[in-house]
Amino acid sequence: MNSPPDNPPTAERAVRPAPSDADLLARHIGGDPHAFSEIVKRHRDRMWAVALRTLGDPDEAADAVQDAFVSAYRKAESFRGEAAVTTWLHRIVVNACLDRMRRKTIRPVADDELIEAAERDAPLTDHAGERDVSLEVTAALKLLPADQRAALVLVDMMGYSVDDAAAVLGVPAGTVKSRCARGRAKLVPVLAHLRNRTDLSRVSSGKGAELRDG
């Protein structure tokens, strides 16, 4: 009778689950030179989408995301595990965007440039109608104070729940609701002509927020 092989074929071996974000961050803190790169790969597209919709400028968004990841890399030990790594990263990116909005006026961006950058995250299917609406919403958002704009981007454009947005922004859920309400009230007269447009409901990314520690 043949005894089973000591090393079964690779196909029969159990597949190891991918490390969680928290595991990767712990490895980074412990000196693993590749762990943080994996975190960046997992979350950069989502971070880019938040930054672009908040700032409305591809160059500024790219700089904000870069600043945020550099900050997260350097301050990884400050992560206490009280929220998911994803939430922690979102908070850093949003803060980087708010800092840029407060420091200077974001330059106007050409329509084609904004469309091309936005489509990296969420390609649009209605090339004429949805692009026009998206550009009008982006321009209108720039009229809002930074805190209201950030709340509206997270809740109305990125699909976050109020609680998740509150965790990202580091404020109570009631504050997020209030900021969204004030922001929407200011946008109503600006965007009222879009109310009957069937493509308005598809301006947001439609992905919803997945603030779970993968």
Short mmCIF file of all heavy atoms in Angstrom, two decimals, residues 19-51:
data_model
loop_
_atom_site.label_atom_id
_atom_site.label_comp_id
_atom_site.label_asym_id
_atom_site.label_seq_id
_atom_site.Cartn_x
_atom_site.Cartn_y
_atom_site.Cartn_z
N PRO A 19 -4.11 38.70 2.52
CA PRO A 19 -4.02 39.39 3.82
C PRO A 19 -4.96 40.58 3.86
O PRO A 19 -5.23 41.22 2.85
CB PRO A 19 -2.55 39.83 3.87
CG PRO A 19 -2.11 39.90 2.44
CD PRO A 19 -2.86 38.79 1.74
N SER A 20 -5.48 40.85 5.02
CA SER A 20 -6.37 42.00 5.19
C SER A 20 -5.56 43.28 5.14
O SER A 20 -4.34 43.29 5.22
CB SER A 20 -7.10 41.91 6.54
OG SER A 20 -6.18 42.09 7.60
N ASP A 21 -6.28 44.40 5.00
CA ASP A 21 -5.60 45.70 5.02
C ASP A 21 -4.86 45.89 6.34
O ASP A 21 -3.74 46.42 6.36
CB ASP A 21 -6.62 46.82 4.84
CG ASP A 21 -7.20 46.86 3.44
OD1 ASP A 21 -6.56 46.31 2.52
OD2 ASP A 21 -8.28 47.46 3.26
N ALA A 22 -5.48 45.47 7.44
CA ALA A 22 -4.84 45.63 8.75
C ALA A 22 -3.58 44.79 8.84
O ALA A 22 -2.56 45.23 9.40
CB ALA A 22 -5.82 45.24 9.86
N ASP A 23 -3.61 43.58 8.26
CA ASP A 23 -2.42 42.75 8.25
C ASP A 23 -1.30 43.41 7.45
O ASP A 23 -0.13 43.42 7.87
CB ASP A 23 -2.74 41.38 7.63
CG ASP A 23 -3.61 40.52 8.53
OD1 ASP A 23 -3.62 40.77 9.75
OD2 ASP A 23 -4.28 39.60 8.01
N LEU A 24 -1.65 43.96 6.30
CA LEU A 24 -0.65 44.62 5.46
C LEU A 24 -0.06 45.83 6.16
O LEU A 24 1.16 46.08 6.10
CB LEU A 24 -1.27 45.04 4.13
CG LEU A 24 -1.60 43.91 3.16
CD1 LEU A 24 -2.40 44.45 1.98
CD2 LEU A 24 -0.33 43.23 2.67
N LEU A 25 -0.91 46.59 6.85
CA LEU A 25 -0.40 47.77 7.55
C LEU A 25 0.53 47.35 8.68
O LEU A 25 1.56 47.99 8.91
CB LEU A 25 -1.58 48.59 8.08
CG LEU A 25 -1.25 50.03 8.49
CD1 LEU A 25 -0.74 50.82 7.29
CD2 LEU A 25 -2.49 50.72 9.05
N ALA A 26 0.17 46.28 9.37
CA ALA A 26 1.04 45.78 10.44
C ALA A 26 2.38 45.31 9.87
O ALA A 26 3.44 45.53 10.49
CB ALA A 26 0.34 44.64 11.17
N ARG A 27 2.32 44.68 8.71
CA ARG A 27 3.57 44.23 8.09
C ARG A 27 4.44 45.42 7.69
O ARG A 27 5.67 45.39 7.82
CB ARG A 27 3.26 43.38 6.85
CG ARG A 27 2.62 42.03 7.17
CD ARG A 27 2.39 41.26 5.87
NE ARG A 27 1.60 40.06 6.10
CZ ARG A 27 1.23 39.22 5.14
NH1 ARG A 27 1.59 39.47 3.87
NH2 ARG A 27 0.52 38.14 5.42
N HIS A 28 3.77 46.46 7.18
CA HIS A 28 4.51 47.68 6.82
C HIS A 28 5.20 48.27 8.04
O HIS A 28 6.38 48.63 7.98
CB HIS A 28 3.54 48.69 6.21
CG HIS A 28 4.08 50.08 6.14
ND1 HIS A 28 5.17 50.43 5.37
CD2 HIS A 28 3.67 51.23 6.77
CE1 HIS A 28 5.42 51.73 5.51
NE2 HIS A 28 4.52 52.22 6.35
N ILE A 29 4.46 48.38 9.12
CA ILE A 29 5.05 48.91 10.36
C ILE A 29 6.20 48.04 10.83
O ILE A 29 7.19 48.52 11.37
CB ILE A 29 3.95 49.03 11.45
CG1 ILE A 29 2.89 50.05 11.02
CG2 ILE A 29 4.56 49.41 12.79
CD1 ILE A 29 1.69 50.09 11.93
N GLY A 30 6.07 46.74 10.58
CA GLY A 30 7.11 45.80 10.99
C GLY A 30 8.31 45.75 10.06
O GLY A 30 9.26 45.01 10.33
N GLY A 31 8.25 46.50 8.97
CA GLY A 31 9.42 46.58 8.09
C GLY A 31 9.29 45.90 6.76
O GLY A 31 10.25 45.88 5.97
N ASP A 32 8.13 45.34 6.44
CA ASP A 32 7.93 44.70 5.14
C ASP A 32 7.96 45.77 4.05
O ASP A 32 7.11 46.66 4.03
CB ASP A 32 6.58 43.96 5.13
CG ASP A 32 6.36 43.15 3.86
OD1 ASP A 32 6.89 43.54 2.80
OD2 ASP A 32 5.64 42.13 3.92
N PRO A 33 8.92 45.70 3.11
CA PRO A 33 9.05 46.76 2.10
C PRO A 33 7.98 46.74 1.01
O PRO A 33 7.88 47.68 0.23
CB PRO A 33 10.43 46.49 1.50
CG PRO A 33 10.62 45.01 1.67
CD PRO A 33 9.95 44.66 2.98
N HIS A 34 7.17 45.68 0.96
CA HIS A 34 6.19 45.55 -0.11
C HIS A 34 4.75 45.72 0.37
O HIS A 34 3.84 45.87 -0.45
CB HIS A 34 6.33 44.18 -0.78
CG HIS A 34 7.71 43.88 -1.25
ND1 HIS A 34 8.33 44.59 -2.24
CD2 HIS A 34 8.61 42.94 -0.82
CE1 HIS A 34 9.55 44.10 -2.44
NE2 HIS A 34 9.74 43.12 -1.60
N ALA A 35 4.52 45.68 1.66
CA ALA A 35 3.15 45.66 2.19
C ALA A 35 2.38 46.93 1.84
O ALA A 35 1.21 46.87 1.43
CB ALA A 35 3.18 45.46 3.70
N PHE A 36 3.01 48.09 1.99
CA PHE A 36 2.27 49.33 1.75
C PHE A 36 1.94 49.50 0.28
O PHE A 36 0.90 50.06 -0.07
CB PHE A 36 3.05 50.54 2.25
CG PHE A 36 2.20 51.78 2.39
CD1 PHE A 36 1.38 51.95 3.50
CD2 PHE A 36 2.19 52.75 1.40
CE1 PHE A 36 0.57 53.07 3.61
CE2 PHE A 36 1.38 53.87 1.50
CZ PHE A 36 0.57 54.03 2.61
N SER A 37 2.80 49.01 -0.59
CA SER A 37 2.51 49.08 -2.03
C SER A 37 1.23 48.33 -2.36
O SER A 37 0.45 48.76 -3.22
CB SER A 37 3.68 48.49 -2.83
OG SER A 37 4.84 49.27 -2.67
N GLU A 38 0.99 47.23 -1.68
CA GLU A 38 -0.24 46.47 -1.91
C GLU A 38 -1.45 47.25 -1.44
O GLU A 38 -2.51 47.23 -2.08
CB GLU A 38 -0.16 45.13 -1.18
CG GLU A 38 -1.39 44.24 -1.37
CD GLU A 38 -1.65 43.88 -2.82
OE1 GLU A 38 -0.68 43.78 -3.59
OE2 GLU A 38 -2.83 43.71 -3.18
N ILE A 39 -1.32 47.96 -0.33
CA ILE A 39 -2.41 48.81 0.16
C ILE A 39 -2.74 49.89 -0.88
O ILE A 39 -3.90 50.16 -1.18
CB ILE A 39 -2.05 49.44 1.51
CG1 ILE A 39 -1.99 48.37 2.60
CG2 ILE A 39 -3.06 50.52 1.89
CD1 ILE A 39 -1.57 48.89 3.95
N VAL A 40 -1.70 50.49 -1.43
CA VAL A 40 -1.90 51.52 -2.44
C VAL A 40 -2.64 50.96 -3.65
O VAL A 40 -3.58 51.56 -4.17
CB VAL A 40 -0.55 52.13 -2.87
CG1 VAL A 40 -0.75 53.07 -4.06
CG2 VAL A 40 0.09 52.88 -1.71
N LYS A 41 -2.22 49.79 -4.12
CA LYS A 41 -2.87 49.17 -5.27
C LYS A 41 -4.35 48.91 -5.02
O LYS A 41 -5.18 49.09 -5.90
CB LYS A 41 -2.17 47.85 -5.61
CG LYS A 41 -0.77 48.01 -6.18
CD LYS A 41 -0.14 46.64 -6.43
CE LYS A 41 1.30 46.79 -6.92
NZ LYS A 41 1.95 45.47 -7.11
N ARG A 42 -4.66 48.49 -3.80
CA ARG A 42 -6.06 48.18 -3.48
C ARG A 42 -6.95 49.41 -3.45
O ARG A 42 -8.13 49.35 -3.79
CB ARG A 42 -6.13 47.49 -2.12
CG ARG A 42 -5.59 46.08 -2.09
CD ARG A 42 -5.78 45.47 -0.71
NE ARG A 42 -5.23 44.13 -0.63
CZ ARG A 42 -5.32 43.35 0.46
NH1 ARG A 42 -5.96 43.79 1.54
NH2 ARG A 42 -4.79 42.14 0.45
N HIS A 43 -6.41 50.53 -3.02
CA HIS A 43 -7.28 51.67 -2.70
C HIS A 43 -7.06 52.93 -3.52
O HIS A 43 -7.83 53.88 -3.39
CB HIS A 43 -7.12 52.02 -1.21
CG HIS A 43 -7.50 50.92 -0.29
ND1 HIS A 43 -8.81 50.53 -0.10
CD2 HIS A 43 -6.74 50.09 0.48
CE1 HIS A 43 -8.85 49.52 0.76
NE2 HIS A 43 -7.61 49.23 1.11
N ARG A 44 -6.06 52.95 -4.40
CA ARG A 44 -5.76 54.21 -5.08
C ARG A 44 -6.88 54.68 -6.00
O ARG A 44 -7.13 55.89 -6.10
CB ARG A 44 -4.45 54.08 -5.86
CG ARG A 44 -4.46 53.02 -6.96
CD ARG A 44 -3.07 52.83 -7.54
NE ARG A 44 -3.03 51.69 -8.45
CZ ARG A 44 -1.90 51.19 -8.93
NH1 ARG A 44 -0.74 51.72 -8.57
NH2 ARG A 44 -1.93 50.16 -9.76
N ASP A 45 -7.56 53.75 -6.67
CA ASP A 45 -8.64 54.18 -7.58
C ASP A 45 -9.78 54.85 -6.82
O ASP A 45 -10.33 55.87 -7.26
CB ASP A 45 -9.18 52.99 -8.37
CG ASP A 45 -8.19 52.49 -9.42
OD1 ASP A 45 -7.22 53.22 -9.71
OD2 ASP A 45 -8.38 51.37 -9.93
N ARG A 46 -10.13 54.26 -5.69
CA ARG A 46 -11.21 54.84 -4.88
C ARG A 46 -10.78 56.19 -4.30
O ARG A 46 -11.56 57.15 -4.27
CB ARG A 46 -11.54 53.86 -3.75
CG ARG A 46 -12.78 54.25 -2.97
CD ARG A 46 -14.05 54.00 -3.75
NE ARG A 46 -15.23 54.29 -2.96
CZ ARG A 46 -16.46 54.28 -3.45
NH1 ARG A 46 -16.65 54.02 -4.71
NH2 ARG A 46 -17.48 54.55 -2.68
N MET A 47 -9.52 56.26 -3.85
CA MET A 47 -9.02 57.52 -3.31
C MET A 47 -9.01 58.61 -4.39
O MET A 47 -9.34 59.77 -4.16
CB MET A 47 -7.60 57.34 -2.76
CG MET A 47 -7.43 56.29 -1.67
SD MET A 47 -8.43 56.58 -0.20
CE MET A 47 -9.67 55.32 -0.40
N TRP A 48 -8.61 58.20 -5.60
CA TRP A 48 -8.58 59.13 -6.73
C TRP A 48 -9.98 59.65 -7.03
O TRP A 48 -10.17 60.85 -7.28
CB TRP A 48 -8.00 58.42 -7.94
CG TRP A 48 -8.30 59.08 -9.25
CD1 TRP A 48 -9.25 58.71 -10.15
CD2 TRP A 48 -7.67 60.24 -9.80
NE1 TRP A 48 -9.25 59.57 -11.24
CE2 TRP A 48 -8.29 60.52 -11.04
CE3 TRP A 48 -6.65 61.08 -9.37
CZ2 TRP A 48 -7.92 61.58 -11.85
CZ3 TRP A 48 -6.27 62.14 -10.18
CH2 TRP A 48 -6.90 62.39 -11.40
N ALA A 49 -10.96 58.78 -7.01
CA ALA A 49 -12.33 59.19 -7.30
C ALA A 49 -12.82 60.22 -6.29
O ALA A 49 -13.44 61.23 -6.65
CB ALA A 49 -13.25 57.97 -7.31
N VAL A 50 -12.55 59.98 -5.02
CA VAL A 50 -12.96 60.93 -3.97
C VAL A 50 -12.27 62.27 -4.18
O VAL A 50 -12.90 63.33 -4.12
CB VAL A 50 -12.64 60.36 -2.58
CG1 VAL A 50 -12.87 61.43 -1.50
CG2 VAL A 50 -13.51 59.15 -2.28
N ALA A 51 -10.97 62.24 -4.42
CA ALA A 51 -10.20 63.48 -4.59
C ALA A 51 -10.66 64.26 -5.81
O ALA A 51 -10.81 65.48 -5.77
CB ALA A 51 -8.71 63.16 -4.68
#
